[in-house]
Amino acid sequence: MPHFKDPDLRVWHRHPVPWPAGIANLTAPRGPGAERDNMFISLWEFFYGHFFRFWMKWVLRQMTGKCELQRIFDTYGGAQRTYRIENSLTYSKSKVLQSATQVAESELDRCVADIMKEKNICREKDSSFQICMRTCLLQISGYKQLYQAVENVRKKPYDSGNAQHEKLLLKLWSLLMPTKKLKARISKQWVDIGFQGDDPKTDFRGMGILGLINLVYFSENYTSEAHQILSRSNHPKLGYSYAIVGINLTEMAYSLLKSEALKLHLYNFVPGMPTMEHFQQFYCYLVYEFDKFWLEEEPESIMYFNLYREKFHEKIKGLLMDYNTVLTLKT
């Protein structure tokens, strides 16, 4: 990546270069070992779901006088509670319990009442059950609704004929370059904030309008941090294309949401139904942390982007496996 330094302005400039092929590819090679592990996992899930789980639940109910849902509420809290409740409902043979994971918000109270009736739970004897179950169902169904909302936005392509899309793009420029006027809609200036060519619309193909919405959200809500990161992205040796990486991190946030890896984080972070803004907050965390990670790792060149991206991705997935995890931006 060629660079030059402007000694008068004391800023770093970077010429655009093609990005490595497959920059957003998250699929890792799968070998015989992975297939064998998956086979054992599938067998265990089959036997557990069809035999062991039923008898374990029966024995524990006889010993405690409480159903599995009640025992979970008594034993766990936070994201672990919601996560275990979701698994219990999903694996249940009862249609009433299975359908509870996709209940609409307007039907929550009725659904909780149906669950209590199905499991013979007395409201007077276990008054807290209704409150706890309602909260868990709100989080569980809310996660599914959030994914659908994000997916709907992602599917919308950037349309240069859409006035709102164009307005949002120009807003991104004004947020990141408040003292520098954009000379034309199609301009080489877009490279200054990390796009690949004269027209940014071509860079939004993978994530649609979602990529732009996230870039604007971070720049608008964390303007100072965005300016600092943009400045660091122009480093002569460790530089990277700010906007392109931002779009790539939108893909990472989306894939983690889709794979349900964000459940523990959102169950801890949001006491009720998660919204698009909660997803965007997580995106902001990724942008901020990736910039720190990239500079700390000191990669040889941008051509190693995929390698370090995967390393960062694995780090985030590891953090998201913690029942107590809450990944929010701390500045």
Side-chain angles (χ1 to χ4, degrees), residues 37-53:
D37 291 344
N38 285 336
M39 181 183 69
F40 285 128
I41 291 172
S42 297
L43 285 172
W44 164 249
E45 288 179 344
F46 174 81
F47 284 110
Y48 175 76
H50 288 78
F51 302 104
F52 302 140
R53 186 171 182 274

Side-chain angles (χ1 to χ4, degrees), residues 61 64-72 119 121 129:
R61 176 130 200 184
T64 64
K66 293 184 177 183
C67 70
E68 183 178 50
L69 297 175
Q70 290 172 300
R71 295 195 301 272
I72 292 173
K119 305 304 293 183
I121 299 172
F129 182 90

Side-chain angles (χ1 to χ4, degrees), residues 218-250:
F218 180 71
S219 301
E220 188 170 31
N221 290 276
Y222 300 95
T223 307
S224 176
E225 289 76 16
H227 288 169
Q228 292 171 14
I229 293 174
L230 176 60
S231 176
R232 288 194 291 269
S233 74
N234 288 319
H235 189 278
K237 181 181 178 183
L238 303 176
Y240 58 85
S241 292
Y242 174 85
I244 294 297
V245 169
I247 296 170
N248 196 272
L249 292 174
T250 284

Side-chain angles (χ1 to χ4, degrees), residues 175-191:
L175 285 167
L176 293 175
M177 293 289 191
T179 62
K180 192 173 183 180
K181 185 178 180 180
L182 186 65
K183 296 177 181 178
R185 164 61 182 81
I186 297 179
S187 167
K188 294 186 182 298
Q189 287 178 284
W190 289 112
V191 175

Side-chain angles (χ1 to χ4, degrees), residues 44 81 92 98 101 109 132 137 156 206 248 254 260 283 287 322:
W44 164 249
R81 168 188 284 177
S92 175
Q98 287 180 12
T101 61
D109 292 329
C132 291
L137 293 183
K156 293 179 181 178
N248 196 272
Y254 164 77
E260 302 187 345
Y283 165 78
V287 173
D322 185 345

Side-chain angles (χ1 to χ4, degrees), residues 75 157 164 202 227 304 317:
T75 308
Q164 291 300 318
T202 59
H227 288 169
Y304 291 90
K317 286 194 293 185

Side-chain angles (χ1 to χ4, degrees), residues 139-151:
Q139 292 180 310
I140 293 166
S141 60
Y143 189 96
K144 292 179 171 62
Q145 292 177 43
L146 173 61
Y147 166 69
Q148 195 56 58
V150 171
E151 176 71 353

